[in-house]
């Protein structure tokens, strides 16, 4: 990936020699490439190429599952996939609510459980503070796990092998 901006997206805990990386030339409007890399052999496999989405979140099997698209109003349109490259709408996030998801990203307080069925993140839609929410990727059900009307959620601890929320 010579002269390309490359960043780690996800590691595969079951197969530590594999990682998923995001490759871009530094221009957010150019196509984004996501490659699975075998750290032992150096072999790379293109997993996703997109000029529609500005970011992808992968599960523990290194499959892109959530994609972020910038909406015309400055908010985000989130799309979901079963990891097969077919994307469908998941939710819309208004500009005033994107900060909750950004904070989850900065704090590494988002991600999938071990089964890759449940996705954890912060969500402030419909409330004045950010809550910790679990999204069921199969049914679309959203469940608030922790919230306080006085203050945003401020950190999450994941179990190191099950990736379930501990605190």
């Amino acid at each position: 990936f010579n002269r390309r901006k490359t960043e780690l997206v996800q590691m595969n805990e079951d197969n530590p020699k594999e990682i998923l990386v995001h490759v871009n030339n530094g221009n957010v409007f150019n196509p984004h490439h996501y490659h699975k890399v075998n750290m032992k052999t150096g072999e790379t496999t293109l997993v996703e190429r997109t000029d529609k989405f500005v970011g992808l979140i992968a599960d523990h099997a290194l499959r892109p599952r959530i994609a972020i698209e910038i909406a015309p109003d400055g908010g985000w349109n989130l799309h979901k996939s079963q990891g097969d490259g077919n994307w469908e709408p998941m939710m819309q996030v208004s500009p005033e609510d994107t900060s909750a998801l950004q904070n989850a990203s900065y704090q590494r307080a988002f991600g999938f459980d071990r089964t890759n069925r449940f996705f954890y993140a912060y969500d402030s839609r419909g409330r004045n503070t950010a809550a910790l929410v679990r999204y069921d990727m199969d049914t679309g059900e959203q469940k608030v796990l922790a919230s306080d009307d006085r203050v945003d959620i401020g950190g999450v601890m994941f179990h190191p092998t099950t990736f379930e929320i501990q605190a």
Side-chain angles (χ1 to χ4, degrees):
F1 305 115
N2 190 23
R3 296 184 182 225
R4 303 285 182 182
K5 178 183 173 191
T6 305
E7 61 186 346
L8 177 67
V9 174
Q10 182 70 27
M11 296 170 51
N12 184 338
E13 293 81 6
D14 293 328
N15 187 359
K17 69 182 178 194
E18 287 187 336
I19 61 173
L20 184 68
V21 296
H22 168 233
V23 181
N24 184 262
N25 70 357
N27 182 341
V28 72
F29 298 107
N30 283 351
H32 297 258
H33 298 86
Y34 293 82
H35 294 265
K36 190 182 293 186
V37 178
N38 183 308
M39 299 297 289
K40 188 173 184 177
T41 66
E43 179 184 348
T44 65
T45 305
L46 180 66
V47 174
E48 184 86 27
R49 180 186 183 277
T50 179
D51 56 2
K52 178 179 180 178
F53 304 127
V54 296
L56 295 179
I57 300 170
D59 66 15
H60 298 289
L62 305 183
R63 298 175 303 179
R65 299 289 304 281
I66 297 176
I68 302 166
E69 173 189 27
I70 303 296
D73 67 358
W76 294 349
N77 294 325
L78 272 58
H79 301 265
K80 67 179 182 174
S81 171
Q82 291 301 318
D84 57 7
N86 295 314
W87 296 97
E88 61 184 66
M90 180 178 173
M91 73 176 76
Q92 294 178 322
V93 182
S94 67
E96 58 269 13
D97 289 319
T98 59
S99 64
L101 286 172
Q102 288 173 333
N103 287 340
S105 175
Y106 298 143
Q107 295 175 17
R108 299 294 300 165
F110 69 90
F112 287 89
D113 74 332
R114 182 55 135 173
T115 68
N116 293 321
R117 177 178 176 182
F118 298 107
F119 178 73
Y120 302 100
Y122 296 166
D123 192 346
S124 61
R125 294 172 305 140
R127 57 178 61 84
N128 290 327
T129 59
L132 175 63
V133 178
R134 182 183 76 187
Y135 299 95
D136 186 320
M137 296 295 287
D138 292 341
T139 68
E141 178 186 351
Q142 302 172 22
K143 180 179 180 182
V144 176
L145 301 178
S147 67
D148 189 311
D149 291 338
R150 300 166 295 168
V151 65
D152 288 338
I153 195 84
V156 174
M157 291 177 57
F158 290 94
H159 187 278
T161 58
T162 66
F163 306 106
E164 294 287 334
I165 299 291
Q166 288 189 299

